[in-house]
Amino acid sequence: MSLFKARDWWSTVLGEKEEFDQGCLCLADVDNSGNGQDKIIVGSFMGYLRIFNPHSVKTGGPQAEDLLLEVHLRDPVLQVEVGKFVSGTEMLHLAVLHSRKLCVYSVSGTLGNVEHGNQYQIKLMYEHHLQRTACNMTYGPFGGIKGRDLICIQSMDGMLMVFEQESYAFGRFLPGFLLPGPLAYSARTDSFITVSSCRQVESYKYQVLAFATDADRKQEMEQQKLGSGKRLVVDWTLNIGEQALDICIMPFNQSASSVFVLGERNFFCLKDNGQIRFMKKLNYNPSCFLPYCSVSEGTINTLIGNHNHMLHIYQDVTLKWATQLPHVPVAVRVGCLHDLKGVIVTLSDDGHLQCSYLGTDPSLFQAPKVESRELNYDELDVELKELQKIIKDVESQGVWPLTEQEDDLKVSAVVSSTLDSVSQAINVETGADSVPSITVKITLQNRVVLQKVKLSVYVQPPLQLTSDQFTFDFTVPDMTSIVAFSVYLKRSYTPSELEGNAVVSYSRPTDRNPAGIPRVIQCKFRLPLKLICLPGQPSKTASHKLTIDTNKSPVSLLGLFPDFANPSDDDQVNVMGFRLLRGSQVTLLASRTSQRYRIQSEQFEDLWLITNELILRLQEHFEKQGTKDFACSFSGCVPLQEYFELIDHHFELRISGKKLEELLSERAVQFRAIQRRLLTRFRDKTPAPLQHLDTLLDGTYKQVIALADAVEENQDRLLQSFAGLKSATHLLILLIRLWQRLSADQTAILEAAFLPPQEDTQELGWEETVDAAIVHLLKTCLSKSSKEQALNLSSQLSMPKDTSRLKKHITLLCDRLAKGGRLCVSTDAAARQAMVMPGGCTPIPESDLEERSPDDSTECLPTTSTSLLSPPCLKPQPSKEF
């Protein structure tokens, strides 16, 4: 049992499907027994009134004699209170508030002569029929009267109706009323305190209410403002900035009292004049509260219930105890039940009534003594060796055998061979007349029962899916589910990849774990080039050109790209044009005499998709012919200068976005400061000139809107620039792989360094992430001495001042690869040296570039050195055709 759990003293459930609220619970000696024992009075919205006198029963639950009285009043019970409500006597009576009626009852008991016990009954003393719908009520010695209590009812339309016991006194409308709030009466200041819909605490003197002009209609309140009569004026107000749930008045000492207000997120304690004595910010959603006098001098304890089934006890602002309840309380009271003082009574909205206390129960459990026996160490050694063998076998196979894991669920993806006859593209921003779409089907087959199966599909932006989330219910084995969705281009720039990824997460239940072991399986699919590209006219001139060498005779481009072939250009079998949906042109040429292909375009990043598609289709073509030794190579200069221009453009947009956000933050601070100044002027009782603050507010508002639009526009441009930078990065990695003939593992290391998986943001961008990865490669597998390996890398990444350091490190990486360096993930120095310098080569001397300072950004890309970008052995030979 938890230490912080309310100790159940007595509990019961009231009725069936009944509802209760904070005014439905009251504790008092309602039958005037005189022994100081409280009774529990509960009313419900179904019209039932119940009175309990609980007895502590450890076993068996509540007894029948605990319920003193249960009567159905027909009308919903909004609130119950006990006080001196009948004239001529100071006996306690029960006031029950209905929506259109106030009833005062006398509760009395008759001694029983049989074993069934005493009999209780209620007698109606008087009732008031209300002309307005009631919300809540409060009572007290209004006007300092002695020996009796008056009742004040607040209506739903903001009228305070005062009843002097059997007679109606007067009614007053609250000024500026919109919605009713909690209502309480302070006897020391003789005032009513409420919280208006303006989210401010308001105090009205009883004398001001009594002597104000009588108002039975709101129209009369409006006439008071223009005509004669005493106007209802508020005594003091305090803006708390949130709606209040309840108000309670507690005496602080002989000369002062405190006003406690429970808000939606804060708890306030106010003085009599409205000044804040203290406040407490709550980290939960409160449901009810009750202040009560503390045993410590000068402090008050407060019970606060919340929607997390917890009851917190505060002494001023200090949390003294926290206890767990079996329900969410909507009302809480503290009383004396059968000589047990301080019993906490809580009521939930569905009728769970519980009497509990705080503290701990001693544990009477004692662990039994373990019989001592002699250990056989030889048997333990044999058992230990068997267990170690089992553990070793499991570690060698893995916790879950791969074959079994793969057989749990099979996922396959099929991309349609043709575009959709009716495009599914909606809300596109490409600017093209028509945007095609293509259908992808994902098939899932389960071998065993699986739980929580969820499919998530991801494609590179600006590609868009018609649906990307699917859920499945594999309750029986050997089920097959097929889902279909369409993919289309949404924005006016080219994606960096045409590859999609379908990820399926699921849980497989086992005997030991019925909830299931979480597993993830993924399936990749490739989208066709025609989804983002159309046939176009070839161009003879272009700003950017690439030449790919092969070891086989050139293939007809019409055979490689039949889906882009133009029937009217049968004679041009070695030239083909592509037009991207965003409008740019790419031209592909095949040499007639040499084994070369050229790709050219006005935009450097647009070369990537066509170049990658060309290599993939060439490989498929020769694989179908049974050729196994086909290979591509690149012997030109690595286009670092064009790549660096894209890096600079992306970094400039990041700098611009950072400046715009800082400027927007400054204007927002200025806007809020002007609002505070204007609010102070408007709340001042003495009118003062605005001194053009309204004009300044309007100008600042326009600046905030303009800056917000500029930030959004810069973010869109940054996304487009990052997509182009990723395309250029893919192209650079491809060219380095073909240039240095890197293996698949080495290419994966290069992709991990240049293409980090995290998103590009202002806090952690592409430049600093890639720079840290490249520096790590330069200091590990591409280092030339153990001294470089010993250097520590910075553990904190921040946005750099410029891109000179990044461009220098990229150039240095290409230089070391050109001099024989190879990429690996091994940290062993001997293995690294053997891989970097095979055949016992001498160490590579430092180049002029490496001798320079890292902060030197003026000459990081020398144009006279060919060893950095193209080694002499791979220098391309002049081509007559190209």
Side-chain angles (χ1 to χ4, degrees):
M1 181 178 292
S2 173
L3 176 65
F4 299 98
K5 186 175 182 180
R7 306 301 168 183
D8 188 5
W9 185 75
W10 179 89
S11 61
T12 186
V13 179
L14 307 178
E16 293 183 1
K17 298 182 180 180
E18 295 188 42
E19 296 183 5
F20 304 83
D21 205 354
Q22 62 181 7
C24 298
L25 177 64
C26 180
L27 265 69
D29 187 14
V30 66
D31 59 345
N32 299 281
S33 61
N35 57 5
Q37 307 298 324
D38 293 329
K39 312 300 186 299
I40 302 177
I41 305 102
V42 183
S44 71
F45 289 165
M46 299 296 291
Y48 286 94
L49 178 68
R50 299 177 177 91
I51 301 178
F52 292 91
N53 184 22
H55 298 76
S56 175
V57 179
K58 293 297 182 180
T59 58
Q63 302 298 319
E65 57 268 19
D66 294 341
L67 179 61
L68 302 183
L69 176 69
E70 180 177 0
V71 61
H72 189 205
L73 303 178
R74 296 184 180 180
D75 296 324
V77 177
L78 303 182
Q79 190 173 345
V80 290
E81 298 292 349
V82 175
K84 304 173 183 178
F85 301 136
V86 178
S87 60
T89 178
E90 293 189 5
M91 303 289 286
L92 297 178
H93 290 76
L94 175 64
V96 180
L97 178 64
H98 303 284
S99 58
R100 284 283 184 169
K101 184 169 58 174
L102 172 65
C103 301
V104 177
Y105 297 95
S106 171
V107 180
S108 59
T110 305
L111 294 177
N113 297 324
V114 293
E115 61 181 3
H116 299 295
N118 302 335
Q119 298 180 1
Y120 285 81
Q121 59 184 359
I122 60 172
K123 179 182 179 182
L124 179 65
M125 304 302 295
Y126 63 87
E127 65 179 4
H128 294 286
H129 291 276
L130 308 178
Q131 300 298 321
R132 302 179 183 278
T133 303
C135 176
N136 51 23
M137 68 175 176
T138 185
Y139 69 96
F142 304 163
I145 193 171
K146 302 293 184 181
R148 57 176 178 165
D149 293 324
L150 308 185
I151 299 176
C152 177
I153 300 177
Q154 180 180 207
S155 66
M156 295 296 292
D157 57 353
M159 185 178 186
L160 297 183
M161 298 171 285
V162 179
F163 296 90
E164 293 184 356
Q165 298 181 341
E166 291 87 352
S167 61
Y168 172 73
F170 57 86
R172 302 289 183 266
F173 278 104
L174 297 178
F177 181 86
L178 181 61
L179 294 173
L183 180 68
Y185 172 74
S186 175
R188 207 192 72 85
T189 59
D190 193 25
S191 58
F192 297 97
I193 300 174
T194 184
V195 177
S196 67
S197 56
C198 299
R199 297 183 175 181
Q200 60 182 9
V201 184
E202 299 177 353
S203 175
Y204 297 92
K205 290 285 188 180
Y206 175 75
Q207 297 296 332
V208 175
L209 289 171
F211 288 101
T213 304
D214 193 10
D216 290 334
R217 296 184 305 273
K218 283 193 174 182
Q219 289 79 0
E220 297 183 7
M221 288 292 297
E222 299 297 332
Q223 294 177 4
Q224 290 180 20
K225 301 179 181 178
L226 303 176
S228 60
K230 193 167 183 66
R231 182 181 175 185
L232 181 58
V233 181
V234 64
D235 184 26
W236 54 262
T237 62
L238 175 67
N239 193 343
I240 61 175
E242 59 181 320
Q243 190 59 42
L245 302 180
D246 199 2
I247 297 178
C248 190
I249 313 295
M250 287 295 297
F252 193 73
N253 51 40
Q254 295 292 337
S255 60
S257 61
S258 296
V259 180
F260 292 87
V261 181
L262 179 65
E264 296 174 333
R265 286 296 179 186
N266 296 278
F267 167 59
F268 303 89
C269 178
L270 314 179
K271 297 181 181 179
D272 292 333
N273 56 1
Q275 296 180 357
I276 296 180
R277 190 186 303 274
F278 64 82
M279 67 172 290
K280 172 70 176 178
K281 181 176 178 60
L282 306 177
N283 296 325
Y284 47 80
N285 189 10
S287 59
C288 61
F289 88 131
L290 177 69
Y292 63 95
C293 295
S294 173
V295 294
S296 301
E297 184 66 26
T299 60
I300 291 181
N301 289 357
T302 308
L303 300 174
I304 301 181
N306 58 41
H307 289 273
N308 297 329
H309 300 262
M310 295 294 294
L311 185 68
H312 291 188
I313 297 89
Y314 292 90
Q315 188 176 71
D316 291 345
V317 296
T318 305
L319 180 63
K320 291 295 184 179
W321 195 264
T323 183
Q324 184 179 7
L325 297 174
H327 55 262
V328 177
V330 296
V332 57
R333 299 291 184 270
V334 175
C336 178
L337 302 176
H338 289 279
D339 296 329
L340 184 60
K341 298 181 180 180
V343 177
I344 301 175
V345 183
T346 55
L347 175 67
S348 68
D349 59 351
D350 55 355
H352 284 78
L353 180 64
Q354 177 176 344
C355 300
S356 56
Y357 60 92
L358 306 180
T360 60
D361 289 332
S363 176
L364 303 179
F365 172 76
Q366 293 183 355
K369 295 182 179 181
V370 180
E371 296 181 1
S372 60
R373 57 188 180 90
E374 296 182 358
L375 300 178
N376 190 338
Y377 292 99
D378 295 335
E379 294 180 358
L380 292 178
D381 290 339
V382 174
E383 184 180 359
L384 179 61
K385 291 179 180 180
E386 292 178 355
L387 293 176
Q388 288 177 345
K389 182 180 179 181
I390 295 174
I391 294 173
K392 187 176 181 180
D393 294 339
V394 172
E395 289 179 350
S396 62
Q397 297 177 2
V399 178
W400 196 297
L402 295 178
T403 56
E404 184 179 357
Q405 180 179 355
E406 293 174 355
D407 291 342
D408 288 347
L409 183 66
K410 292 183 179 180
V411 183
S412 60
V414 177
V415 181
S416 177
S417 58
T418 59
L419 298 176
D420 296 338
S421 58
V422 179
S423 178
Q424 302 298 317
I426 56 174
N427 300 327
V428 295
E429 304 173 8
T430 59
D433 296 336
S434 62
V435 177
S437 65
I438 196 167
T439 301
V440 181
K441 293 183 178 180
I442 306 293
T443 303
L444 286 79
Q445 290 181 313
N446 67 311
R447 185 180 60 86
V448 295
V449 176
L450 302 178
Q451 300 175 353
K452 303 176 183 178
V453 182
K454 182 178 181 181
L455 169 64
S456 301
V457 187
Y458 175 78
V459 291
Q460 289 290 334
L463 293 175
Q464 184 72 21
L465 300 169
T466 55
S467 181
D468 59 350
Q469 299 286 338
F470 304 91
T471 56
F472 304 91
D473 189 12
F474 291 137
T475 55
V476 295
D478 299 327
M479 292 180 61
T480 301
S481 297
I482 301 176
V483 294
F485 53 87
S486 296
V487 188
Y488 60 91
L489 188 68
K490 185 176 180 64
R491 303 290 297 275
S492 59
Y493 58 94
T494 306
S496 59
E497 289 183 78
L498 291 177
E499 192 177 71
N501 193 12
V503 181
V504 182
S505 61
Y506 62 93
S507 297
R508 175 179 174 174
T510 60
D511 296 336
R512 295 184 178 181
N513 189 1
I517 301 175
R519 296 292 173 187
V520 175
I521 188 172
Q522 63 179 350
C523 173
K524 294 185 178 182
F525 56 91
R526 180 168 180 79
L527 300 172
L529 183 63
K530 58 185 177 182
L531 183 63
I532 61 160
C533 188
L534 300 174
Q537 292 297 327
S539 177
K540 295 183 179 180
T541 60
S543 302
H544 304 279
K545 303 177 182 179
L546 287 178
T547 302
I548 303 298
D549 299 332
T550 63
N551 59 351
K552 300 297 178 182
S553 300
V555 183
S556 171
L557 296 182
L558 296 179
L560 280 180
F561 296 90
D563 45 348
F564 291 92
N566 192 346
S568 61
D569 297 338
D570 292 339
D571 55 337
Q572 297 183 359
V573 295
N574 62 334
V575 179
M576 183 165 290
F578 303 87
R579 181 174 64 86
L580 301 178
L581 288 182
R582 71 172 189 174
S584 58
Q585 301 281 344
V586 181
T587 303
L588 175 61
L589 300 92
S591 173
R592 295 179 179 178
T593 57
S594 62
Q595 303 169 352
R596 294 181 176 180
Y597 300 87
R598 170 169 290 178
I599 309 97
Q600 56 188 25
S601 176
E602 293 296 332
Q603 302 292 333
F604 176 69
E605 60 270 20
D606 293 341
L607 299 175
W608 154 243
L609 289 178
I610 305 301
T611 304
N612 186 51
E613 191 73 19
L614 171 65
I615 295 176
L616 291 177
R617 296 200 180 195
L618 284 174
Q619 292 174 350
E620 293 178 359
H621 172 76
F622 287 105
E623 285 180 359
K624 291 180 180 179
Q625 293 184 351
T627 305
K628 299 182 179 180
D629 59 345
F630 171 75
C632 297
S633 62
F634 176 72
S635 58
C637 296
V638 180
L640 289 184
Q641 189 61 39
E642 294 84 349
Y643 183 59
F644 291 160
E645 291 176 359
L646 293 175
I647 294 177
D648 291 336
H649 178 62
H650 176 262
F651 188 74
E652 289 173 0
L653 290 176
R654 286 187 62 192
I655 295 294
S656 176
K658 184 177 181 181
K659 292 180 180 179
L660 287 174
E661 290 179 359
E662 292 176 352
L663 191 59
L664 177 62
S665 178
E666 293 177 0
R667 291 296 179 269
V669 172
Q670 177 180 325
F671 184 74
R672 289 191 291 268
I674 299 173
Q675 283 183 321
R676 287 194 294 268
R677 293 285 185 88
L678 280 174
L679 182 61
T680 303
R681 297 291 178 89
F682 289 149
R683 292 180 59 184
D684 194 357
K685 296 182 180 180
T686 304
L690 299 180
Q691 297 179 350
H692 302 288
L693 285 176
D694 54 343
T695 305
L696 185 59
L697 181 69
D698 182 65
T700 306
Y701 173 75
K702 293 180 179 179
Q703 291 181 4
V704 169
I705 297 300
L707 286 173
D709 294 338
V711 169
E712 290 184 354
E713 182 181 358
N714 186 82
Q715 289 177 349
D716 294 339
R717 294 175 60 192
L718 187 62
L719 289 175
Q720 183 174 350
S721 174
F722 185 61
L725 180 59
K726 289 182 67 176
S727 298
T729 303
H730 280 291
L731 180 60
L732 181 68
I733 294 173
L734 174 64
L735 296 180
I736 294 177
R737 177 175 67 86
L738 298 178
W739 168 43
Q740 290 295 314
R741 296 179 175 84
L742 300 180
S743 63
D745 294 339
Q746 294 174 346
T747 305
I749 295 175
L750 207 58
E751 290 178 348
F754 279 88
L755 297 171
Q758 66 268 17
E759 296 182 0
D760 180 60
T761 60
Q762 289 288 354
E763 293 78 12
L764 183 61
W766 180 87
E767 286 80 4
E768 53 265 32
T769 307
V770 173
D771 186 46
I774 294 177
V775 170
H776 175 74
L777 293 178
L778 294 175
K779 293 182 181 298
T780 54
C781 59
L782 295 180
S783 64
K784 296 180 296 184
S785 63
S786 59
K787 182 178 180 181
E788 288 188 0
Q789 290 187 350
L791 296 177
N792 294 326
L793 300 178
S794 176
S795 60
Q796 184 176 2
L797 299 181
S798 59
M799 187 174 181
K801 297 180 180 179
D802 50 38
T803 59
S804 59
R805 185 178 179 88
L806 172 62
K807 293 186 290 188
K808 173 183 175 180
H809 290 152
I810 294 176
T811 308
L812 186 58
L813 175 70
C814 295
D815 180 40
R816 293 195 176 178
L817 288 175
K819 293 179 180 180
R822 286 296 176 263
L823 299 170
C824 66
V825 294
S826 175
T827 58
D828 187 7
R832 179 191 57 80
Q833 292 291 343
M835 181 175 295
V836 173
M837 291 169 284
C841 297
T842 58
I844 303 173
E846 295 283 348
S847 64
D848 295 337
L849 180 65
E850 296 174 63
E851 297 290 342
R852 297 178 181 174
S853 171
D855 297 331
D856 186 10
S857 60
T858 58
E859 296 293 338
C860 62
L861 292 175
T863 58
T864 58
S865 174
T866 60
S867 63
L868 293 180
L869 306 183
S870 177
C873 61
L874 297 178
K875 185 93 173 184
Q877 300 297 327
S879 173
K880 295 180 181 180
E881 187 174 358
F882 285 158

